[in-house]
């Protein structure tokens, strides 16, 4: 069965550094999402992406965040200057025209 | 805007006992409802979903959920819990062409 994959599985970075989290959605999916889960808290929506542009974003998704689909397979989340509070698990998801989103395994980001 | 409430932060049940996890949602139209399970440090696994039709939906691992429009609820049930069911459970609501909103989660502990 096709899966959403994410790399790296874990990333440790210094505060103020830029990080790029990578996702490979399922190949025929057209809608892409990033979610965040701070340790012990609920999963929070960050941003949705369709037709090469952001469809919707939450208040969490400020100017420090950006998303890109640089080629036909990858979907990336960039954090320009990481803060301690960006430490979280980041989930990528994708879907077709139906509403079931398939989630990746997540990238655990630790900002020191 | 859609929202999800999971009233129980933590539930403890004995192995072999029945389980019901509560979920209430708020959404202006017909919702699409989901239950996900997350083991510690792991990603999200879809247990079941409701789009339309039969209000009692069957999922994986012996779970089922019932959609009750009059109560705005989508409670998850399992007749006999196994120790391996210990995890965090998230209810989520979505809509066509829209992102998902997750509840805060219910942590399930299973006593031997």
């Amino acid at each position: 069965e096709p899966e959403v994959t994410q790399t790296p599985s874990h990333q440790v970075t210094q505060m103020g550094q830029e990080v790029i989290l990578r996702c490979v959605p399922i190949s025929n999916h057209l809608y892409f999402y990033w979610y965040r889960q701070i340790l012990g808290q609920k999963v929070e929506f960050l941003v949705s992406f369709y037709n090469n542009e952001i469809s919707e974003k939450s208040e969490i998704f400020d100017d420090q965040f950006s998303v890109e689909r640089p080629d036909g397979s990858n979907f990336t989340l960039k954090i320009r200057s990481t803060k301690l509070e960006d430490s979280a698990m980041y989930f990528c998801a994708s879907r077709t025209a139906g509403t079931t989103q398939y989630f990746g395994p997540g990238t655990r980001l630790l900002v020191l | 805007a859609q929202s999800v409430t999971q009233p129980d932060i933590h539930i403890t049940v004995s192995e072999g006992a029945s389980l019901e996890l509560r979920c209430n949602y708020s959404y202006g139209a017909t919702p699409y409802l989901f239950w996900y399970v997350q083991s510690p440090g792991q990603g999200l696994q879809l247990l079941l979903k409701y789009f339309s039709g039969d209000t009692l939906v069957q999922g994986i691992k012996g779970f089922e959920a019932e959609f009750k429009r009059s109560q705005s609820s989508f409670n998850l049930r399992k007749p006999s819990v196994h120790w391996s069911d210990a995890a965090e459970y998230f209810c989520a609501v979505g809509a066509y062409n829209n992102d998902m909103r997750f509840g805060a989660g219910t942590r399930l502990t299973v006593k031997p």
Side-chain angles (χ1 to χ4, degrees), chain A residues 4-25:
Chain A
V4 176
T5 59
Q6 290 184 241
T7 55
S9 58
H10 294 77
Q11 178 143 7
V12 181
T13 190
Q14 296 290 326
M15 189 170 57
Q17 294 296 304
E18 174 184 286
V19 295
I20 297 176
L21 309 183
R22 290 184 167 79
C23 169
V24 179

Side-chain angles (χ1 to χ4, degrees), chain B residues 21-78:
Chain B
L21 302 182
R22 296 184 290 166
C23 172
N24 294 99
Y25 68 89
S26 172
Y27 188 63
T30 300
Y32 297 100
L33 296 160
F34 308 82
W35 275 99
Y36 287 86
V37 61
Q38 184 183 37
S39 297
Q42 301 298 310
L44 298 166
Q45 182 180 23
L46 179 65
L47 284 176
L48 47 78
K49 59 184 185 287
Y50 170 79
F51 288 172
S52 65
D54 192 346
T55 57
L56 184 65
V57 291
Q58 302 297 321
I60 61 172
K61 303 185 179 188
F63 286 92
E64 66 177 28
E66 186 171 12
F67 170 58
K68 293 185 177 180
R69 185 187 300 275
S70 61
Q71 297 177 20
S72 297
S73 70
F74 188 58
N75 294 347
L76 182 72
R77 300 194 293 250
K78 186 169 184 178

